Amino acid sequence: DLADGPNGEPPVLRSLLNASLLEDIKKAALAPPDDHTAPAARSRLPFVAENLHVYITISNMRGIPFKVGFANDTHGMQTIGDRIHYVVTDLGDSKLPQDNNWVKSDTGISLSVKDLPRQNGGPPGAWDTYGTAALASGAFPLGLASRELSIPWGDYDTRSYPMPLPKGVQIKPAFPDTKADNFVFQSVDGGVVNNSPFDYAQYALCDNPSKPARGEDTDQAILIVAPFPEPPDFPPEGKPAPAFIAILRALVPALINQARFRPHDLVTAVDRESHDRYMIAPRRRIPRTPESASAGDTVPLERYAIACGLLGGFGGFLDEKFRAHDFQLGRRNCQQFLRRTFMVPANNRIVRGMDMSERPVIPLLGSAADPVPQPRWPRISGKDFDRVCNHMTVRLDKLVPKLIEDHTLHWAWRRLIKIGWSRFGRSPVIELVRLTMLADLIRRGQFDDSVDETTMPERLRHLLEKSGRELEDVHAIAGELNNPSFDFRTAQGIERKTKLPSGFIEATLQTLTDESIPVPLRAWGNDLGYTAFERRPSHFKQWRLVRRLDRWWSAPSVD
C-alpha cells in the first residue's frame, strides 16, 4: 500500500496496518460461486425476508450538519454517526406478517441477487459499493484504512431515524447548497459511535416499539451478536493523573465510550420479563474436574472468552489459531443459545397446548444437534511471535520515513528528523510495541511458554493452593512485569492495576524468580522492584558503580 501508483503517482499513507488485502477479500466475497450456478437460477430461501433490510453503520468523517430551531434562532450541530440502508431482493420469499411504515419510508439502496457478477465480469457498481461499505464499517481508526463512499444527497433527506417523532415531523440535515451529484466522504468504523445498533433493528422490524413483549404473546425477537464481552476498564483511584499527557491519553477512549453510551438501553436491559431481545455473546467454560464436567452451566466462566480480544480486539492479526478458536467457540455458543436460551414459555400462543414446559424457537435437528466441542485455548509460539515482531519492524521502517516525507517541507528538517529517528527513536518504539504485545499475551495465557495446570511448577502450585487464587492471577502479574510503561514494578503498583491483594502479589513475585519458572513468566528483582527476567539489566550494568551512573543518567521508572 506504500508503493507508487500505476501511473507513478505517490502513495498516500492511510493506516498503520496494510489494509490492501481487504480489497482482495471483498472481491473474492462478491465473486461467482465455484459451481458456476447463476444466482438467478438458485431457489429462494424460505427463512429470509422477501425484502431483506441491511443497515451498515459507519462513521462519516466529513460529518452530517443539523440545525436545531428555537423561538428566535437556530443552533448548529454536527454528527459523524451515519448508516447506509440496503434492501436485498431475490434472495428470500418470506413476507413479513405486517406492514412497517418506518422502514417503508426510509430510503434504501436496492440490491438484487440477480445482479451479482457472472464468471467473466467485475462486480456491478451497487454491489461493489456494498462491499466497500462493509469494509468501512470495520475500518478501525488509524489501524485500518478509511474508505471513500459516495451516497446520493437525497438519501439523507428521506431517511427515517430510530426515535419516536410526532406525526408529520421529519428530520433533515442542513447541508449547504451544492451542485455535486453525490455526498462523497471518508468513512471509518461505525463502532466508534454506535457499536450495537440495536435501535435500527428494533425499528426496522417493529415499526414504532413502545413496550417489550411478554413471553405469553411474543412472536418476534431480535438477536444481537456481541463479539467483545469484556467491558471497558474502570480506572483505579488517581487515574488518570492530572498531568496534561495523562489526560490527553485518556481522552480518546473516554470520548468513544461516551459516544457509545445510550441511557435508554438501560431501561429495557433491567426488564427480565422481556422476550423480544436476546444476545449471543462469547462464553467459555472449562470443567476442572469430572464432577464439574456434568454440572453444565454451573461451571464458572473463564476470565477471557475470545482469543482475538487482546490488543483491543486486534489480537486476531497475530496468529491464525486465535481466529480459528473464536470461530469454533462462536459455533458452540450459538448451539448452546439455541438449545438452552432461545425458548418461549408453555403459555405462549405459538406452542400453547403442547406437552412441554418450554419450547425452543429453533430446534436442533440432525447434525446440528451434535455437540460442538470446546476448542483448546490457543497460544502463539515464541518463533511465530518473533516473526510477527519482524513484520512489525519492516512495516515501521516503511511508515516512519513516509510520515516524515509527507509532513516535513524543508529538506534540512527532513534529514535531521530521520537521523534523530534512526538513532534515538526507532529502537524504543520497536521495544514499546513488542512489550505491549507480549504483556497482553502473557496476561491472557496466550504465549507458548505460559504455564497451565499440567505444566505448573510445584512451587507455584503450592502458592495457588495456599492462597486460593487462580492461575490467571499469576499471568496477570507476570504480564505487568512486561508493561513497557515502567522499568520496575512493585507490589503496590501491580495491585493498583490488577486489583489483586498486595500480599499475594509479593508472594507471587518471589515465586516467579525461581529457576523452574519458564523464562517469559520469570521475574528478576533488585532494590527497586521486579521486572521480567528478559528485561533485567546486563551484568555490566549490575556493577555497583555502573548501576549508580546508569540510574543517574536514565532514571528508571518504578511503579
Side-chain angles (χ1 to χ4, degrees):
D1 64 330
L2 296 179
D4 291 339
N7 299 319
E9 60 269 17
V12 176
L13 178 60
R14 301 171 61 89
S15 57
L16 295 177
L17 299 177
N18 182 358
S20 58
L21 176 65
L22 299 179
E23 195 68 26
D24 298 332
I25 294 176
K26 181 191 80 172
K27 293 177 181 178
L30 296 175
D34 294 334
D35 59 6
H36 307 292
T37 304
R42 294 171 179 262
S43 58
R44 297 192 181 189
L45 304 176
F47 51 85
V48 175
E50 184 179 42
N51 294 316
L52 177 62
H53 297 274
V54 179
Y55 282 86
I56 299 180
T57 58
I58 55 176
S59 294
N60 185 329
M61 301 311 295
R62 192 173 173 185
I64 307 171
F66 290 90
K67 285 186 178 180
V68 181
F70 291 88
N72 59 335
D73 207 344
T74 59
H75 173 61
M77 297 190 302
Q78 186 162 292
T79 180
I80 65 170
D82 201 352
R83 49 65 165 188
I84 306 176
H85 176 198
Y86 289 97
V87 184
V88 181
T89 60
D90 302 311
L91 175 64
D93 63 1
S94 177
K95 297 182 183 295
L96 294 180
Q98 61 185 15
D99 289 333
N100 187 324
N101 295 322
W102 185 90
V103 77
K104 275 186 175 181
S105 63
D106 190 54
T107 300
I109 302 173
S110 180
L111 287 176
S112 173
V113 173
K114 297 179 180 179
D115 295 331
L116 280 167
R118 304 299 191 266
Q119 278 295 323
N120 298 320
W127 280 104
D128 186 62
T129 304
Y130 173 81
T132 302
L135 296 182
S137 70
F140 193 85
L142 302 182
L144 298 175
S146 63
R147 303 287 165 170
E148 182 177 278
L149 295 174
S150 178
I151 307 297
W153 294 99
D155 286 7
Y156 289 86
D157 292 331
T158 58
R159 65 173 44 179
S160 302
Y161 290 86
M163 62 182 69
L165 293 175
K167 188 175 182 180
V169 174
Q170 188 175 19
I171 299 176
K172 291 186 177 183
F175 287 121
D177 293 334
T178 178
K179 295 181 180 180
D181 294 333
N182 291 335
F183 180 30
V184 181
F185 55 89
Q186 294 291 326
S187 57
V188 297
D189 187 359
V192 172
V193 176
N194 188 355
N195 208 38
S196 300
F198 186 89
D199 45 359
Y200 281 105
Q202 192 174 30
Y203 271 79
L205 291 176
C206 310
D207 199 355
N208 189 7
S210 56
K211 60 180 181 180
R214 293 297 180 255
E216 63 272 12
D217 56 11
T218 183
D219 62 355
Q220 57 186 0
I222 299 173
L223 309 184
I224 180 171
V225 180
F228 294 109
E230 300 169 20
D233 288 335
F234 181 70
E237 186 175 351
K239 298 291 184 180
F244 168 76
I245 296 298
I247 295 295
L248 188 63
R249 291 174 60 184
L251 184 61
V252 173
L255 291 176
I256 292 177
N257 289 331
Q258 179 60 43
R260 292 174 175 176
F261 179 75
R262 292 178 292 174
H264 66 271
D265 279 347
L266 298 177
V267 178
T268 53
V270 298
D271 188 355
R272 296 298 181 183
E273 298 300 320
S274 173
H275 279 69
D276 64 351
R277 55 171 62 190
Y278 294 86
M279 175 185 290
I280 304 178
R283 300 166 71 88
R284 193 167 65 97
R285 301 179 189 271
I286 306 295
R288 305 296 183 185
T289 63
E291 293 77 14
S292 65
S294 61
D297 279 347
T298 60
V299 178
L301 290 172
E302 295 295 305
R303 185 170 302 180
Y304 304 109
I306 57 174
C308 294
L310 73 158
L311 302 178
F314 274 78
F317 288 106
L318 299 187
D319 198 303
E320 186 178 2
K321 293 194 296 290
F322 297 170
R323 305 193 296 275
H325 170 276
D326 292 352
F327 177 80
Q328 296 299 335
L329 181 69
R331 294 181 65 238
R332 178 181 174 86
N333 288 163
C334 184
Q335 185 185 58
Q336 299 299 324
F337 169 79
L338 296 177
R339 176 177 287 139
R340 301 177 179 177
T341 304
F342 199 32
M343 318 279 282
V344 290
N347 63 347
N348 182 275
R349 60 186 180 86
I350 299 175
V351 299
R352 192 173 296 143
M354 295 183 180
D355 185 19
M356 57 186 65
S357 58
E358 286 186 315
R359 175 76 176 178
V361 177
I362 303 178
L364 296 171
L365 304 175
S367 61
D370 297 337
V372 177
Q374 179 80 259
R376 289 177 58 90
W377 189 239
R379 294 176 176 178
I380 188 173
S381 67
K383 181 180 178 181
D384 287 342
F385 179 72
D386 290 341
R387 190 175 74 250
V388 170
C389 292
N390 290 336
H391 286 312
M392 176 268 295
T393 301
V394 172
R395 178 67 177 175
L396 196 66
D397 288 339
K398 296 283 187 179
L399 283 176
V400 175
K402 177 63 179 171
L403 280 172
I404 296 173
E405 290 286 342
D406 289 349
H407 299 283
T408 310
L409 298 178
H410 197 277
W411 68 268
W413 278 112
R414 280 199 296 270
R415 180 65 176 166
L416 184 62
I417 295 175
K418 286 182 178 180
I419 293 175
W421 160 254
S422 62
R423 294 189 177 181
F424 305 105
R426 181 179 178 274
S427 295
V429 170
I430 291 175
E431 185 67 0
L432 170 68
V433 178
R434 190 188 75 86
L435 287 176
T436 299
M437 295 190 295
L438 181 61
D440 219 7
L441 286 167
I442 292 176
R443 177 175 64 90
R444 300 169 65 94
Q446 291 181 239
F447 198 70
D448 208 22
D449 289 326
S450 301
V451 297
D452 55 27
E453 281 77 6
T454 60
T455 62
M456 193 186 313
E458 191 60 35
R459 184 177 175 185
L460 189 58
R461 188 186 304 276
H462 177 71
L463 170 67
L464 294 179
E465 292 175 353
K466 181 180 178 181
S467 61
R469 308 300 303 189
E470 299 176 349
L471 184 58
E472 287 84 353
D473 298 327
V474 175
H475 286 152
I477 295 171
E480 284 302 309
L481 298 178
N482 288 278
N483 189 329
S485 300
F486 308 101
D487 297 307
F488 291 93
R489 304 306 304 272
T490 64
Q492 293 73 26
I494 297 178
E495 179 186 11
R496 286 191 292 269
K497 179 66 176 180
T498 63
K499 301 179 178 63
L500 295 170
S502 59
F504 169 73
I505 295 174
E506 185 64 45
T508 301
L509 290 172
Q510 294 177 6
T511 302
L512 292 180
T513 60
D514 192 87
E515 292 185 355
S516 64
I517 304 297
V519 170
L521 298 182
R522 195 182 303 174
W524 184 90
N526 63 9
D527 58 311
L528 293 178
Y530 293 87
T531 188
F533 186 76
E534 290 185 327
R535 300 181 68 191
R536 71 190 187 281
S538 64
H539 289 293
F540 176 69
K541 289 186 176 181
Q542 293 181 35
W543 294 357
R544 180 177 301 179
L545 180 59
V546 177
R547 182 175 68 239
R548 290 182 178 178
L549 290 174
D550 183 60
R551 292 182 181 180
W552 171 79
W553 177 260
S554 59
S557 57
V558 182
D559 179 45

